[in-house]
Amino acid sequence: PEDSVIVAQENAQIAYLLQELPARDRMVLEGRFGLNGSTVSLADLADRLHMTREGVRQIQRRALLKLRRKWVQLQLQAY
């Protein structure tokens, strides 16, 4: 039971952090990691966003860095 509470809290924190990202960053991460149901390839996301696969990959990389920084800040605030 304790583990399920921890997982639920972490999922809520991740959802909160995703909402803090710009819409395009959030769309890329949700698509690439299947956070809204199914994963989407770089090529498909590139078509949807009218950009290159490399551009989508760069957005993904920057968005993950933003999430990591925000996650660390959130964890530090908890202590």
Side-chain angles (χ1 to χ4, degrees), residues 27-39:
M27 179 183 177
V28 168
L29 291 182
E30 287 174 346
R32 292 295 292 149
F33 295 105
L35 301 176
N36 53 3
S38 62
T39 59

Side-chain angles (χ1 to χ4, degrees), residues 5-59:
V5 170
I6 292 170
V7 169
Q9 287 177 334
E10 287 178 347
N11 287 341
Q13 290 173 337
I14 290 169
Y16 169 76
L17 293 175
L18 281 171
Q19 292 303 314
E20 296 289 310
L21 292 175
R24 185 175 65 171
D25 293 4
R26 187 173 50 250
M27 179 183 177
V28 168
L29 291 182
E30 287 174 346
R32 292 295 292 149
F33 295 105
L35 301 176
N36 53 3
S38 62
T39 59
V40 180
S41 69
L42 280 175
D44 288 341
L45 278 171
D47 287 343
R48 290 181 193 174
L49 296 171
H50 306 290
M51 46 189 326
T52 64
R53 288 180 302 202
E54 179 61 20
V56 173
R57 190 196 63 75
Q58 289 174 6
I59 290 171

